Amino acid sequence: MTPLTPHHDGSPLYVSDIAPQLGDIVRVRVRVPAAYGPLTAVRTRSNPDHEPEWADAALVGSADGWDWWEAPLAVRNFRHGYRWLFVHESGLVEWLNQVGIHSIETRDDDDFALVAHPAPPAWLYDAVMYQVFPDRFARSPQADTHPTPEWAIATAWDEPVDPVLPGRSQQFYGGDLDGITGKLDHLVELGVNLLYLTPVFPAASNHRYDAASFHSVDPLLGGDDAYVRLIEAAHARGIRVIGDLTLNHSGDRHEWFASAFGNPGSETEDYYYFLDDDNLTYESWLGTPTLPKFNWASEALRAAFADGPDAVIAKWLRPPYSADGWRIDVANMTGRLGAIDLNAEVRQLMRRAMIDINPETILLGESTNDAASDLQGDGWHGAMTYPSFTRPLWGWLSQPTGEPYLTAEGEERTEPWFFGQPIGGIPSFTARQFVDAVVRFTSGIPWRVRLGNMQPLDTHDTGRFATNAAPGTIPVAVGLSMTLPGMPVVFAGDEYALTGVDGEMSRTPMPWGTEGEPLVAERLALYRQLIGLRREHPVLGTGGLRWLHVDDETIVFVRESAEESVLVLATRGDADVELVPGVLAGVTEASTLVGKATFATAADGSVLLSADGPAFAAWALPGVVAPEAHVDADLPASVGAVDGARAVSPADLVAETP
C-alpha cells in the first residue's frame, strides 16, 4: 500500500487565488495526515528575486483525518515559486514540491508556482478539443467547383494516403471549410466544444504550413466567407474555434518573401534572415528551402503580425471572423537561431496583442519535447507537447512493436516510428514509469499552465495510437486523456478507429458512412461516453490531483475539489488494489461513473479496488471537507481559532484573503 504523505497542488482547494497580481497576498494550504510527524514547524520557502523568503504556516484545523496548515505568500515575481518545509520533532526535515516529498533540499525549477501574468479565459479549463486537418475531413458540394491547383495531385476520397514524396505533401483530397460546417453536428454528438483547425491560409501543400499569405483563407477551402460561415455555425452550437499560425516561418511563395527574395532593399527584406547581398540565400526551418525563417528582430515584422487592426493576429480574432485563439506551429523554435533567442519577446507580444483584441482568446504553442522553460505563464496558455503524456502513454499501453514499414524511397526497411526518436521503436514502459514521466515533465510547469496543455493520444504529426495499442487498452488511453489534468484532444478519425503508422499515414480522409460497422460504432460510443464524463464533472478540468496507488500494471488517482471528487483506476493487467486507511477518509461508498471494476471499503477504513484488465473505471465521490480559517486581517501570517470543519469553496478562500 502507498503510504499517506502531505499533499499540495495548485488547485483552489489549496490556493486562494490562482490568478493573482503582483503584490497580492495569496493564502496557500497543505494537508498533512493527522498521524504524520509529530511536526514542530510547517513553513513555505519562496524565492523572490532569487533570494529565499520564509513564511510560517498555522494549523487551521483538522477534518477527516487530515490536518490543514495555511501560510500567506506575497506575490513578488510574475512566476512566484514556493515549496513546503516540514520539521519533525525527531529532527527529520522534509520538503514538498511538485515532484513529491523529499528528505533533501530540492530545486527551484520543480517548485509550486503562482503566476501573476494575465490568466487565460475560464472556458479553457472546460475545453475538449477536436483537431481537424481540413483537406481530409469533409467535402461540401462546392468542393467540386474548386479547380485543382498546379501543385496538387488530385485524389479520390477513398484512395489511400501516399506517404512518398511528392504525394505526401501534394496529394489533394479537396476537403473544405463548408464540408466541416456540414459535419458540426457530429462534433456536438461527440461532446467536444473546441475545434482546432490546422492552417487554412493559401499554400502549395496539403498541410498549408507553407503559407503564401496570412491575410486570406485559401480559396480551395472556400475562402474568407466559408471561414465566417464555419465559425458562426460552430459558435451557434457552443463550439469555439482556434486557428493554426506559423510564427517561425512562411512559405517561399509568401508575398512578404517574394517581395524580398532577390530584391535587396525591399520593405520586407528584414522579415527574414538573408545570408548574401543579393537576397538569394537565407535561413529556413531545418534547412527546408520552401520554409524561410522569420527574423523577429525586425520591428516591421512584429508590427505586421501584432500592431493594429489589420495585423495578422488581430484580423482573424475580430469580426466578422471572431476566432477564439491560436495554436502556434513550431513555437519552440520561433525567434530562436543560434545565439539569438527572442522567443519570450514573441510569445509575450502575441499574447498582449490578443488581450487587447479579446481577452477571452487562448494562445497555445507547439513544443513537442521538454517545454517547461517556455511554459511559465508569460505567453502560452498551454502547449501541444508529447513527453508529459502522449509518449509515456504509448510506451505503457502499446503492444510490442510489429513489423517495420517501408521508407519513403520504398526500398530499405526502417525501425518503427516513435515520435521521431531513433530508439528502435516504441519503448516498453510500466505503469510506474508512465507516472514517473508525467510527474517529471509537468513538475517544472505552473499548475495553471499545466491545465492548458493539450493531452492527445495522437495528432496530425504522429502515428495514431490505435495502430499499436495493446488489446483492450484504447478505453484506458482515452479515459486517462479525459481525467488527468490537461486539455483532452481528439484527432479527427480516432473516434472512427482509424490507424496510421506515422504523421503522414495518420492523415486519412474521414470514413463517413461507416458508423454502422461494429468497431466504429463501439469506438464512437466510447468517445461519447468518456467525453461526457469529462464535460459533466468540472473537477476533471480544475480539480487537484493525488496519486493514490502506482505499481507496474495499475495506477489509481483522485481529482478533488470542495464540490466533488472523481476516483480513477487505470490498468493494463488485472488490478487488485488496497488503498491505505484514511486516503479517502469519510468515504464509505462510491457511485460508478464508467467502467467495470469493484469498489469496497474495509472496517479499518481502507479502500479495495479490483478489475479484470485492461480496464478503466471512474467513481463519483463527495467533495473534500476542509476546515474554515478565520484570518486576522491585521496579522496576515496568523490564523484564528477553528470552529469546526466544512467543505470550503474557491470563493470562500478568496474571501478570506486579506
Side-chain angles (χ1 to χ4, degrees):
M1 291 189 292
T2 303
L4 283 180
T5 58
H7 181 76
H8 174 85
D9 57 47
S11 70
L13 268 178
Y14 306 97
V15 178
S16 67
D17 186 356
I18 64 170
Q21 297 183 357
L22 284 179
D24 284 354
I25 302 294
V26 175
R27 307 197 73 84
V28 293
R29 288 183 164 194
V30 64
R31 58 197 287 198
V32 180
Y36 203 76
L39 301 174
T40 59
V42 176
R43 298 186 176 97
T44 60
R45 184 268 195 190
S46 301
N47 199 34
D49 303 327
H50 283 254
E51 180 65 22
E53 181 174 271
W54 306 87
D56 287 332
L59 178 62
V60 298
S62 302
D64 286 339
W66 295 88
D67 294 336
W68 290 72
W69 297 75
E70 184 176 287
L73 292 182
V75 182
R76 305 192 190 280
N77 298 124
F78 281 108
R79 179 202 180 275
H80 187 98
Y82 64 97
R83 70 194 71 150
W84 290 91
L85 168 69
F86 304 99
V87 180
H88 291 246
E89 190 175 273
S90 66
L92 173 66
V93 173
E94 291 183 305
W95 307 82
L96 178 66
N97 65 5
Q98 291 204 111
V99 175
I101 194 83
H102 309 267
S103 59
I104 60 173
E105 195 169 350
T106 57
R107 302 170 63 246
D108 293 345
D109 288 350
D110 296 329
D111 279 351
F112 304 104
L114 302 172
V115 177
H117 295 285
W123 65 259
L124 174 64
Y125 306 130
D126 181 50
V128 177
M129 176 186 283
Y130 190 81
Q131 183 192 2
V132 164
F133 190 84
D135 183 59
R136 312 290 165 85
F137 190 70
R139 289 173 58 95
S140 72
Q142 292 76 30
D144 291 332
T145 68
H146 302 152
T148 301
E150 46 81 21
W151 57 263
I153 301 170
T155 308
W157 199 256
D158 58 354
E159 290 185 34
V161 172
D162 183 0
V164 180
L165 289 172
R168 64 188 294 161
S169 63
Q170 296 176 16
Q171 201 174 22
F172 176 66
Y173 286 87
D176 61 356
L177 297 182
D178 284 326
I180 300 171
T181 302
K183 295 295 185 181
L184 286 176
D185 287 343
H186 168 66
L187 276 64
V188 173
E189 291 170 2
L190 276 182
V192 299
N193 58 357
L194 175 60
L195 171 61
Y196 155 44
L197 300 173
T198 58
V200 298
F201 301 117
S205 69
N206 51 38
H207 55 71
R208 295 185 171 87
Y209 284 102
D210 56 332
S213 173
F214 294 124
H215 286 288
S216 63
V217 171
D218 195 335
L220 296 174
L221 293 174
D224 293 3
D225 290 343
Y227 196 46
V228 172
R229 289 192 293 272
L230 171 58
I231 295 175
E232 288 181 344
H235 285 175
R237 291 166 171 80
I239 299 171
R240 292 181 169 87
V241 181
I242 65 171
D244 200 334
L245 183 63
T246 55
L247 299 182
N248 180 71
H249 56 264
S250 71
D252 63 344
R253 301 189 184 195
H254 197 284
E255 55 206 12
W256 296 342
F257 186 76
S259 174
F261 182 70
N263 185 20
S266 72
E267 290 186 4
T268 57
E269 176 182 36
D270 67 351
Y271 286 21
Y272 301 91
Y273 291 101
F274 287 104
L275 304 178
D276 68 326
D277 293 339
D278 297 323
N279 287 7
L280 296 175
T281 58
Y282 50 90
E283 293 285 353
S284 61
W285 177 69
L286 298 181
T288 306
T290 56
L291 302 175
K293 185 174 176 68
F294 286 131
N295 174 11
W296 281 95
S298 167
E299 292 298 327
L301 177 69
R302 296 185 183 206
F305 269 107
D307 186 13
D310 296 325
V312 174
I313 287 287
K315 175 176 179 176
W316 304 104
L317 303 184
R318 294 181 185 277
Y321 309 102
S322 302
D324 299 289
W326 293 105
R327 177 265 194 188
I328 304 301
D329 185 57
V330 200
N332 56 306
M333 297 183 73
T334 298
R336 290 182 169 130
L337 181 65
I340 301 167
D341 190 346
L342 302 173
N343 189 276
E345 293 183 24
V346 176
R347 63 186 187 246
Q348 292 166 18
L349 173 68
M350 294 301 113
R351 187 57 198 143
R352 287 195 301 271
M354 293 172 68
I355 289 173
D356 289 344
I357 299 158
N358 180 3
E360 288 296 299
T361 55
I362 64 169
L363 181 62
L364 306 175
E366 180 193 26
S367 187
T368 57
N369 295 289
D370 183 1
S373 62
D374 291 344
L375 293 177
Q376 297 303 314
D378 62 345
W380 317 125
H381 290 137
M384 175 186 277
T385 185
Y386 300 135
S388 59
F389 176 77
T390 311
R391 288 206 295 250
L393 183 86
W394 278 50
W396 177 31
L397 297 180
S398 294
Q399 59 190 341
T401 306
E403 284 293 313
Y405 56 95
L406 291 176
T407 64
E409 291 76 21
E411 298 172 353
E412 60 186 80
R413 297 171 88 67
T414 71
E415 64 189 27
W417 183 91
F418 185 67
F419 297 86
Q421 295 187 350
I423 61 174
I426 302 171
S428 181
F429 288 173
T430 64
R432 193 182 307 276
Q433 288 173 308
F434 166 76
V435 172
D436 287 347
V438 171
V439 171
R440 173 174 294 178
F441 286 100
T442 59
S443 61
I445 300 172
W447 176 264
R448 193 178 85 186
V449 181
R450 178 184 181 180
L451 296 182
N453 276 353
M454 295 167 60
Q455 206 148 259
L457 304 189
D458 42 57
T459 71
H460 70 298
D461 281 333
T462 78
R464 290 192 186 261
F465 172 77
T467 309
N468 297 294
T473 61
I474 288 177
V476 183
V478 179
L480 289 171
S481 173
M482 297 296 162
T483 54
L484 282 170
M487 183 196 299
V489 179
V490 179
F491 177 35
D494 282 351
E495 77 277 28
Y496 275 80
L498 291 182
T499 59
V501 297
D502 62 14
E504 300 301 329
M505 296 301 290
S506 72
R507 300 174 184 180
T508 310
M510 290 288 285
W512 303 111
T514 62
E515 294 82 4
E517 296 180 5
L519 179 59
V520 175
E522 176 186 301
R523 199 66 53 82
L524 284 166
L526 171 72
Y527 273 88
R528 289 168 183 156
Q529 179 188 40
L530 292 177
I531 292 170
L533 172 70
R534 172 73 179 219
R535 296 288 310 281
E536 291 163 12
H537 295 276
V539 70
L540 297 177
T542 57
L545 167 70
R546 280 196 297 138
W547 301 104
L548 305 186
H549 173 87
V550 179
D551 61 33
D552 285 348
E553 291 282 357
T554 304
I555 63 175
V556 179
F557 60 88
V558 64
R559 303 292 308 279
E560 296 175 311
S561 71
E563 292 75 27
E564 63 169 343
S565 300
V566 172
L567 177 68
V568 173
L569 177 146
T571 185
R572 179 168 174 167
D574 294 341
D576 189 5
V577 174
E578 181 178 356
L579 302 180
V580 65
V583 70
L584 295 173
V587 174
T588 57
E589 58 183 21
S591 173
T592 301
L593 298 172
V594 297
K596 294 180 179 179
T598 62
F599 175 103
T601 57
D604 65 355
S606 60
V607 174
L608 309 176
L609 306 174
S610 62
D612 295 331
F616 176 84
W619 296 268
L621 304 178
V624 173
V625 175
E628 179 180 7
H630 300 280
V631 179
D632 187 331
D634 296 326
L635 296 171
S638 66
V639 181
V642 177
D643 291 336
R646 67 176 181 83
V648 59
S649 71
D652 294 328
L653 287 173
V654 171
E656 292 161 3
T657 303

